[in-house]
Amino acid sequence: MLSQDSNDDTEDVSLFDAEEETSNRPRKSKIRHPVASFFHLFFRVSAVVVYLLCELLSSSFIACMVTIILLLSCDFWAVKNVTGRLMVGLRWWNHIDEDGKSHWVFESRKSNPQDNKTVSEAESRIFWLGLIACPILWVIFAFSALFSFRVKWLAVVIMGVVLQGANLYGYIRCKVGSKKNLTSMATSYLGKQFLKQNTEDGQTS
């Protein structure tokens, strides 16, 4: 199992040379990358549809399994390397240094008040909706396959959970920062809830 470098905090860096030509456009609720937006949803939605309709589409389990895995693999590559970069200005990746250590890098586009490299609100909604909803569906499919004793489908749904869950985790790390930031956010939220509850209890008593 690859070790995670302790200095892999989210890097606030400038990315995306491919977007220089659209960088001067103001933030608008329109889709500026329709092809990327389409393929962001196409592969993952297609995998879900094929899984749900596989018994109607084909009597061959192997054919359905291979089709779903191919769609999931294409989705993983497209979301990790293309759509996240274009649609929300985020990217995560891994590299091995000269000592053989694995480093996970989580990058986000540098925000500059004098720069108009902003993310389209419409594309951001599409990106995060697809990124969050589909892994939840695969988790539901996993429990459904387990409790209905559809053992042969467990490998397929676990593949869906792992591949799409990895992208979800990677982009959340890009968005909110390192594990330390995630922990501090959770601690802060729980502290506020605890304080709020104690305040309400004091007022009622």
Side-chain angles (χ1 to χ4, degrees):
M1 190 171 183
L2 296 177
S3 61
Q4 182 168 332
D5 183 60
S6 59
N7 296 321
D8 64 349
D9 292 347
T10 302
E11 297 183 14
D12 190 19
V13 297
S14 237
L15 300 173
F16 325 118
D17 294 336
E19 286 192 324
E20 291 296 332
E21 60 185 15
T22 61
S23 62
N24 294 323
R25 298 180 184 176
R27 183 184 183 93
K28 294 182 179 180
S29 294
K30 71 175 184 178
I31 298 176
R32 294 188 298 181
H33 304 94
V35 176
S37 301
F38 172 78
F39 282 104
H40 177 71
L41 297 176
F42 174 75
F43 291 120
R44 55 185 48 217
V45 171
S46 297
V48 171
V49 171
V50 172
Y51 176 78
L52 292 174
L53 303 179
C54 59
E55 294 181 353
L56 298 177
L57 297 175
S58 174
S59 59
S60 173
F61 167 75
I62 299 299
C64 292
M65 180 182 69
V66 171
T67 301
I68 294 171
I69 291 176
L70 284 175
L71 289 170
L72 289 172
S73 300
C74 291
D75 170 75
F76 178 81
W77 183 89
V79 173
K80 178 179 179 295
N81 296 297
V82 180
T83 64
R85 178 175 65 88
L86 294 177
M87 296 174 69
V88 291
L90 302 174
R91 184 175 68 174
W92 66 275
W93 52 286
N94 173 268
H95 72 93
I96 308 296
D97 63 15
E98 295 179 354
D99 297 328
K101 292 184 178 180
S102 175
H103 298 267
W104 294 92
V105 181
F106 303 91
E107 298 179 331
S108 60
R109 180 188 293 136
K110 181 184 293 185
S111 58
N112 188 342
Q114 298 178 349
D115 199 351
N116 289 324
K117 289 184 180 179
T118 54
V119 176
S120 166
E121 293 179 358
E123 287 184 348
S124 180
R125 292 192 191 101
I126 292 172
F127 179 84
W128 289 107
L129 179 62
L131 193 71
I132 295 171
C134 289
I136 293 175
L137 288 176
W138 285 109
V139 171
I140 294 173
F141 295 157
F143 281 106
S144 175
L146 182 63
F147 292 128
S148 61
F149 301 103
R150 300 177 65 192
V151 180
K152 66 180 182 179
W153 286 104
L154 277 178
V156 177
V157 296
I158 289 174
M159 181 72 72
V161 172
V162 170
L163 290 179
Q164 298 197 351
N167 264 328
L168 177 59
Y169 174 76
Y171 281 114
I172 289 176
R173 287 287 305 274
C174 292
K175 188 71 174 177
V176 303
S178 66
K179 283 185 175 179
K180 294 179 181 178
N181 291 337
L182 288 170
T183 303
S184 63
M185 288 177 61
T187 304
S188 175
Y189 175 78
L190 292 175
K192 290 180 181 178
Q193 293 299 315
F194 180 76
L195 181 61
K196 181 180 178 181
Q197 184 66 33
N198 287 341
T199 303
E200 292 177 352
D201 292 342
Q203 293 177 348
T204 55
S205 59

